[in-house]
Amino acid sequence: MGMLDGKVAFVTGAARAQGRAHAVAMARNGADVIICDIGEDVDGLRYSLGTLEELEETAGLVRAEGRRVVSRKADVRSQAELDAVVAAGVEELGRVDVLVANAAINQLKPFWEITEADWEAVVGTNLAGVWRSAKAVMPHLVRQRSGSMVLISSVNGLEPANGYAHYGAAKHGVIGLMGSIALEGAPYGIRCNAICPGFVKSGMTTFQDQLDKYAGHPGATLDVLDDAGRGFHPFNGLTYLEPEHIAEAAVWLSSTAAIAVNGVAMPVDAGHLLVAGKVWRDA
């Protein structure tokens, strides 16, 4: 028996990394899955986003778990595209019960160098895109008078973001949005919580600008990632987190095991916030 047997989960940004981990974890726990991704790059970013080929690889991994999947291209900056994905999923799978609003992008710039276009892209994806995703599923959940939303924020939703203010502002906003959804959804039996991941290995944390930031000099390689991860939290022997660490928390929040959990911003950061602002090293 899976924790999500009989449920249908909608995961945004599912082509790779955290989004893929969420989709597979939901399927492994018994849910059929609706997935989407933008499938193309966004102007101004210094790294590539997930491709439609990768999205289909995610769909294949869901099917390998014995679950059904509906996969579509969609940009979370478009309400029409999100509504269409959810409608297609509900038509084929019969319902939607769970949202994991995961899609996000990042860019390193001092706040005074962030352009209007930069701000619109990052905030439009990371905050407004979460709001639009919630809007897309809410009418279905209201009709069922049940459901769960998990909004992916960040530890940068709980502490300042140094060098990417638009990302931090958006992730703080996700937590505020989560509280409002939790309050407004509760009379309909709908819960909403947020996860605040720590240092997770993904395309967002391994592009060249990020590696150089970790190392403190240009030209850094992936070798710096282990040390950067160890410096982020107090656990001996643990470096960066894997996307699956976040996905397992999302499964729990989406299940009846968390039926009394509503309006919570849950750090999944290996204790980073205990030592935030410090550089931790093995004893």
Side-chain angles (χ1 to χ4, degrees):
M1 295 290 289
M3 296 178 74
L4 300 174
D5 283 349
K7 304 295 185 184
V8 175
F10 175 40
V11 181
T12 66
R16 64 185 188 191
Q18 279 193 55
R20 174 176 288 182
H22 287 302
V24 173
M26 294 282 158
R28 189 168 293 145
N29 280 274
D32 293 326
V33 187
I34 306 164
I35 57 174
C36 71
D37 207 293
I38 188 172
E40 60 190 51
D41 291 343
V42 170
D43 289 345
L45 299 191
R46 301 266 308 230
Y47 64 100
S48 295
L49 300 181
T51 66
L52 294 181
E53 290 77 14
E54 288 173 316
L55 185 65
E56 286 312 302
E57 289 174 7
T58 301
L61 292 171
V62 170
R63 294 186 188 101
E65 296 292 338
R67 307 311 308 171
R68 297 179 295 168
V69 61
V70 172
S71 174
R72 295 287 188 276
K73 172 180 167 61
D75 184 344
V76 297
R77 293 174 296 177
S78 167
Q79 189 68 58
E81 291 184 20
L82 285 168
D83 290 345
V85 171
V86 173
V90 170
E91 181 177 3
E92 184 167 336
L93 303 178
R95 59 189 295 131
V96 63
D97 304 277
V98 172
L99 167 67
V100 182
N102 165 79
I105 59 177
N106 198 9
Q107 176 190 57
L108 295 183
K109 281 189 177 182
F111 82 87
W112 62 91
E113 294 181 7
I114 293 171
T115 67
E116 292 283 345
D118 295 334
W119 184 273
E120 292 299 326
V122 172
V123 177
T125 300
N126 297 8
L127 176 55
V130 171
W131 164 66
R132 293 185 194 100
S133 301
K135 284 183 65 180
V137 301
M138 189 65 175
H140 302 276
L141 304 187
V142 168
R143 280 195 293 272
Q144 294 165 192
R145 302 191 73 83
S146 67
S148 169
M149 300 190 200
V150 178
L151 314 185
I152 305 302
S153 179
S154 168
V155 290
N156 288 132
L158 299 169
E159 65 180 10
N162 181 14
Y164 37 99
H166 44 358
Y167 179 89
K171 293 300 189 176
H172 274 77
V174 167
I175 293 175
L177 175 64
M178 175 273 294
S180 294
I181 295 173
L183 277 174
E184 295 179 26
Y188 301 96
I190 299 162
R191 297 181 298 110
C192 184
N193 296 285
I195 295 177
C196 301
F199 183 45
V200 180
K201 185 179 181 182
S202 71
M204 189 185 292
T205 57
T206 57
F207 68 101
Q208 193 61 53
D209 289 355
Q210 285 282 23
L211 296 177
D212 293 349
K213 183 178 180 180
Y214 307 146
H217 59 75
T221 67
L222 279 172
D223 294 340
V224 75
L225 208 62
D226 283 352
D227 193 50
R230 280 193 296 271
F232 203 75
H233 54 69
F235 272 108
N236 268 330
L238 182 64
T239 59
Y240 47 78
L241 303 180
E242 296 289 353
E244 288 74 18
H245 291 117
I246 316 305
E248 290 301 325
V251 167
W252 180 77
L253 283 172
S254 303
S255 74
T256 56
I259 194 66
V261 181
N262 192 34
V264 169
M266 176 189 291
V268 182
D269 66 348
H272 163 74
L273 291 169
L274 298 173
V275 295
K278 302 176 183 178
V279 176
W280 195 275
R281 290 291 182 267
D282 292 353

